[in-house]
Amino acid sequence: MSVSAHRGRGWALTNMAFSIGISACSSALAAQAETAEVTELGAIEVVGKGQREEHIKPLARSKVSNAPESLPTAVSTISADEIKTLNVDRDISNIYRRVPGVVANNIDQGDTGNGFRMRGFATNGTHGADVAVYVDGVPQNVPSSQGGAGHGPVFLEWLTPQMIKRVSVIKGPVSALYGDQNRAGSVNIETLDGGDVASSIGLDIASFDGRRANLVLGGEHEGFESLFIADIYKTNGYRKTAETNRDNYFWKLSKVIGDAKYSARFSHYESDFKNDGYLNLPALRAGTISRRDTDNLYGFGTANRNTYVLNRAPAEGEEGLYYTAYFEDFKRVRAIANGTNTHNYGKDDRDIYGGRLAYNFVYEDSASLMLGAEVRRDKGEAYRQQYRNFEPTQSYYYDFDMDLLTYGVFAQAQYKPIDSLKVLGGIRYDRFDYDIDNRKFRNADTGYHSSVTTPKLGLVWTPIEQLEVFTNAAQGFRSPAAEYISSGSSSALVPSDTGGRINGSVRPSKVTSYDIGFTVRPTERLSSTTEFYYIQNDSETLQVSPGVYEQVSDTTRKGVETSINYQATSTVSTYASYGRIIDAVIDNPPAGTGDRLVVPEHTYKAGVQYRDAFMAGQLTLNADVYHLAGIPYYVGIEKKEMPPYTRYDLRASYDYSDYQFSLYGTFQPHRYGSEVAYGTTTGLVIVPQPSTTLGASVRYFF
């Protein structure tokens, strides 16, 4: 079929989409989008061949703005164009692969949450807890999850790369705009509008029967911007039983009315999966079990989420009224094998709804004040049940029917008394009103009422336009989990009228973080950021005796991160970063545990990109390397060290006319290396990784 025939079919499909309220862009917009895709790694502006840097633009932190990059801390921004150069494949966590100091997990365990660890927080199994994650103003952390992992996990599998406009990773709890789980920092994700993208259809294939079909319909019609995305993904995975089947649908409609931009979006996500769990490292090395085997039973799970979001923001500039309203029907199941014939079957079935209202006052380029409030209600059941031979029993590990109400108010101000100095101050007040029905131990039914206040203060000094020095002192918090407040034995038991305990004195866990760092940009081609941090938590919640939780533990985290971005030529750009955890210590651990948190001591990242015209199109080549070392684990009280983990990513893309062709590969050479592992009494257990994963994709723009 000719290209013109393809385009005719594309326009027919576009007109059909408009008839049901979904707009698609014209051929001219597609061509513009292809041109707009030309970008470089990192936040470096490209200087073409033969050009010289006559003037260096001011660095972002000195500006009075509520944009994340203006905060007095290290912030990494990932653009939509950069995401196109990453090997995202089955796990959206891979969008963080180049962010300094961040450990983003991809362990082939189905849709079990998105691992995200930084600054020594979010230890194994917490899937993004201790980092507050927001998408279009909607919080993503799930409190007291039983169908995920721990308290506050993040599930972003409903996102696909084609939905994302920008991701901002904010190190430390310095921003008052983010609430619960903001201890290590926060992540702010913005989705695209219809006018930002060209309509396209794409097909991907990858190792282990990876298959993806993706349709994007985007454009503008009579002032309405519409973006519709349908994504179907399937894989059998590396291990024998592993498989994932996932469907994502997304529709966003936006329009400017007066001085405001309004948007409404709907997303539907559904998946089912199986996984093979962890394997004992000594047994693997002895050859008594294969890397692709299942030790006991395979795990399994399902998920179904329907989300509705309404947003308002100023159409121009930052001054004005912002609001967000949302509702989500959230269902998730995860069954973890925990014996030769038993599973720990966890389920969340929630209605989650809430909103956010804020007004930003701006005075020229010297001051701003944002005042706001937000509320979230999380209502439904969360339980873990014992399954035997894949059938439910009458025994439960946890069983809650919860009504969790959280609301807060916040203020954040910026002021420049002189051109070279900016002061940021903020404060949050958050309150928790919970109604917890403990269906396992009826005598532990309880209400819970508590609050927490977290102040923020930061400075940015710009003595010359090539240098910014920044510092902050800020507090962040994590709400208490339902199983801390209404507790009892965590063994599998039949529900009873007695046996539980109410720990009404448990309070939110609050950390205090201190940062100091600098960014230097001697030319438009070169920039580097280095930051030192010290974090103290004197209110970590621990189980001090069976069913009794109290704030009795202190934890300390000290570290440094440094990164460099260099535009070597107009076609070649590079980056490198190093993160070091100097201390990650539990000051008063319970008996039988180690004194060091299970976090990597060293995190190395580096990469290079080549982009230039080639024949009648454009060629983009990317190479990235990621290495973890010095990860401790414990067998009893004996401290040991996990094998190192290294990952290499290669990607080649060629844009020609209305087509984009890509080839990619991921290489993990350490036979027993893994980003996530656990110490047990019988040794380390790991998730073996494939040494090589290859893939190819083609996308047609119409």
Side-chain angles (χ1 to χ4, degrees):
M1 184 178 291
S2 67
V3 172
S4 61
H6 275 296
R7 286 175 175 162
R9 292 177 61 188
W11 278 112
L13 181 58
T14 299
N15 291 333
M16 183 185 300
F18 267 128
S19 69
I20 60 171
I22 305 171
S23 61
C25 66
S26 65
S27 299
L29 280 175
Q32 292 171 6
E34 289 176 3
T35 303
E37 287 175 5
V38 181
T39 189
E40 306 299 334
L41 288 177
I44 305 172
E45 296 192 16
V46 179
V47 179
K49 293 180 180 179
Q51 291 180 294
R52 298 180 61 86
E53 300 87 352
E54 301 297 337
H55 179 70
I56 300 174
K57 296 178 182 178
L59 293 164
R61 288 186 193 87
S62 62
K63 298 178 182 177
V64 173
S65 169
N66 277 308
E69 56 266 25
S70 73
L71 292 166
T73 189
V75 177
S76 296
T77 301
I78 310 163
S79 68
D81 287 325
E82 185 177 354
I83 292 173
K84 295 173 186 176
T85 68
L86 290 161
N87 291 344
V88 176
D89 196 29
R90 62 157 290 268
D91 191 344
I92 198 68
S93 301
N94 286 321
I95 62 177
Y96 305 117
R97 286 288 171 189
R98 295 174 185 152
V99 177
V102 166
V103 178
N105 300 333
N106 180 358
I107 57 173
D108 198 27
Q109 291 288 286
D111 286 357
T112 56
N114 301 101
F116 185 98
R117 294 180 285 164
M118 66 183 185
R119 294 194 161 192
F121 281 91
T123 54
N124 295 335
T126 54
H127 293 274
D130 288 312
V131 177
V133 180
Y134 285 66
V135 179
D136 294 335
V138 180
Q140 300 296 302
N141 304 81
V142 180
S144 302
S145 172
Q146 302 298 338
H151 171 53
V154 174
F155 305 100
L156 295 179
E157 299 96 343
W158 67 272
L159 284 170
T160 68
Q162 292 77 21
M163 298 175 190
I164 300 174
K165 180 178 183 178
R166 184 183 299 108
V167 181
S168 298
V169 180
I170 303 167
K171 305 293 183 66
V174 65
S175 177
L177 306 185
Y178 308 101
D180 195 9
Q181 305 290 332
N182 186 11
R183 300 205 303 173
S186 54
V187 174
N188 185 60
I189 301 175
E190 303 170 51
T191 61
L192 288 157
D193 293 314
D196 297 326
V197 295
S199 297
S200 64
I201 187 168
L203 297 173
D204 292 66
I205 58 171
S207 302
F208 315 114
D209 295 325
R211 294 149 288 164
R212 167 171 265 141
N214 179 274
L215 172 68
V216 178
L217 298 174
E220 186 174 356
H221 181 69
E222 296 183 353
F224 286 92
E225 294 182 78
S226 177
L227 176 62
F228 173 78
I229 295 173
D231 187 277
I232 299 173
Y233 176 81
K234 299 179 184 298
T235 182
N236 285 337
Y238 170 64
R239 307 278 294 284
K240 284 184 178 179
T241 311
E243 66 175 62
T244 299
N245 300 283
R246 179 193 305 155
D247 295 344
N248 290 343
Y249 301 94
F250 176 94
W251 181 34
K252 184 178 180 180
L253 191 65
S254 308
K255 183 175 175 58
V256 174
I257 302 175
D259 61 353
K261 185 168 188 176
Y262 297 86
S263 66
R265 67 169 172 85
F266 164 75
S267 62
H268 170 76
Y269 156 78
E270 187 170 357
S271 79
D272 64 82
F273 61 88
K274 296 177 182 178
N275 63 67
D276 292 278
Y278 291 79
L279 296 179
N280 181 265
L281 181 57
L284 283 168
R285 285 176 166 161
T288 59
I289 191 168
S290 165
R291 284 162 47 85
R292 302 186 70 174
D293 280 346
T294 301
D295 193 9
N296 291 309
L297 303 175
Y298 63 82
F300 61 92
T302 62
N304 190 303
R305 300 176 66 177
N306 295 289
T307 308
Y308 308 82
V309 181
L310 175 66
N311 275 299
R312 181 201 192 274
E316 299 289 340
E318 294 188 10
E319 184 170 21
L321 179 67
Y322 298 75
Y323 62 69
T324 300
Y326 58 89
F327 169 77
E328 179 167 22
D329 175 18
F330 179 98
K331 294 182 176 67
R332 177 172 290 273
V333 166
R334 184 187 181 191
I336 304 170
N338 62 350
T340 57
N341 66 346
T342 60
H343 282 90
N344 184 327
Y345 177 95
K347 182 177 181 180
D348 289 313
D349 187 352
R350 318 276 190 93
D351 288 337
I352 303 171
Y353 46 96
R356 180 185 182 98
L357 179 68
Y359 196 94
N360 192 33
F361 301 89
V362 178
Y363 179 72
E364 298 179 343
D365 296 326
S366 61
S368 72
L369 172 63
M370 176 170 274
L371 301 174
E374 60 182 321
V375 62
R376 168 172 168 156
R377 190 175 189 182
D378 192 301
K379 183 176 174 58
E381 62 180 6
Y383 64 80
R384 293 187 196 177
Q385 187 176 11
Q386 185 182 71
Y387 269 46
R388 191 177 301 275
N389 297 321
F390 295 96
E391 295 295 332
T393 72
Q394 296 301 309
S395 296
Y396 289 80
Y397 302 94
Y398 300 98
D399 190 3
F400 296 107
D401 187 5
M402 303 179 297
D403 188 352
L404 310 180
L405 179 62
T406 302
Y407 51 93
V409 293
F410 57 87
Q412 184 155 289
Q414 299 181 58
Y415 176 56
K416 292 183 72 173
I418 56 177
D419 286 343
S420 61
L421 183 66
K422 186 179 80 172
V423 182
L424 179 140
I427 192 166
R428 282 190 68 97
Y429 171 83
D430 292 88
R431 181 169 177 81
F432 314 96
D433 288 327
Y434 293 171
D435 184 4
I436 302 173
D437 184 2
N438 192 326
R439 299 184 299 199
K440 180 181 178 182
F441 301 116
R442 302 301 312 192
N443 65 314
D445 292 354
T446 185
Y448 176 79
H449 308 282
S450 185
S451 63
V452 61
T453 302
T454 48
K456 333 275 183 176
L457 179 65
L459 297 172
V460 179
W461 179 46
T462 313
I464 55 176
E465 61 184 7
Q466 297 96 335
L467 173 67
E468 283 179 343
V469 180
F470 55 90
T471 185
N472 68 73
Q475 290 187 333
F477 72 93
R478 183 183 186 189
S479 61
E483 57 263 36
Y484 298 168
I485 301 165
S486 176
S487 63
S489 171
S490 59
S491 300
L493 300 172
V494 175
S496 168
D497 288 337
T498 61
R501 176 186 172 89
I502 298 171
N503 298 304
S505 62
V506 173
R507 293 292 179 262
S509 176
K510 187 161 63 172
V511 304
T512 303
S513 174
Y514 304 92
D515 294 29
I516 186 167
F518 62 88
T519 293
V520 58
R521 189 170 68 190
T523 73
E524 289 287 352
R525 293 177 179 265
L526 176 66
S527 69
S528 178
T529 297
T530 299
E531 182 173 30
F532 300 85
Y533 60 87
Y534 172 85
I535 304 170
Q536 180 68 40
N537 179 13
D538 59 3
S539 60
E540 199 80 67
T541 305
L542 287 180
Q543 186 174 8
V544 297
S545 61
V548 181
Y549 290 85
E550 295 180 2
Q551 272 86 13
V552 296
S553 177
D554 296 345
T555 57
T556 301
R557 296 164 175 90
K558 303 175 187 175
V560 59
E561 293 172 5
T562 186
S563 63
I564 185 169
N565 289 270
Y566 179 51
Q567 186 74 41
T569 70
S570 61
T571 60
V572 177
S573 59
T574 63
Y575 75 93
S577 68
Y578 170 63
R580 168 80 186 278
I581 304 290
I582 299 170
D583 264 329
V585 176
I586 305 175
D587 295 332
N588 54 342
T593 66
D595 63 351
R596 187 176 176 85
L597 300 172
V598 186
V599 293
E601 183 178 357
H602 306 282
T603 304
Y604 303 87
K605 300 186 180 187
V608 60
Q609 175 177 283
Y610 171 83
R611 174 171 283 176
D612 202 2
F614 179 73
M615 299 179 67
Q618 177 181 268
L619 178 66
T620 304
L621 303 176
N622 289 90
D624 299 273
V625 61
Y626 166 62
H627 179 75
L628 300 178
I631 311 175
Y633 74 97
Y634 297 90
V635 177
I637 60 173
E638 181 183 1
K639 178 182 174 181
K640 296 189 175 185
E641 191 168 294
M642 299 181 195
Y645 173 78
T646 305
R647 169 176 165 141
Y648 300 95
D649 284 277
L650 301 178
R651 188 176 187 91
S653 297
Y654 183 61
D655 293 274
Y656 174 77
S657 184
D658 295 330
Y659 295 89
Q660 182 182 78
F661 306 91
S662 298
L663 297 173
Y664 56 90
T666 298
F667 308 93
Q668 301 171 101
H670 292 293
R671 184 171 178 81
Y672 302 117
S674 178
E675 293 171 273
V676 175
Y678 295 92
T680 70
T681 55
T682 59
L684 189 68
V685 293
I686 67 171
V687 178
Q689 299 297 296
S691 60
T692 303
T693 302
L694 302 175
S697 67
V698 60
R699 181 165 291 275
Y700 170 62
F701 296 89
F702 54 85

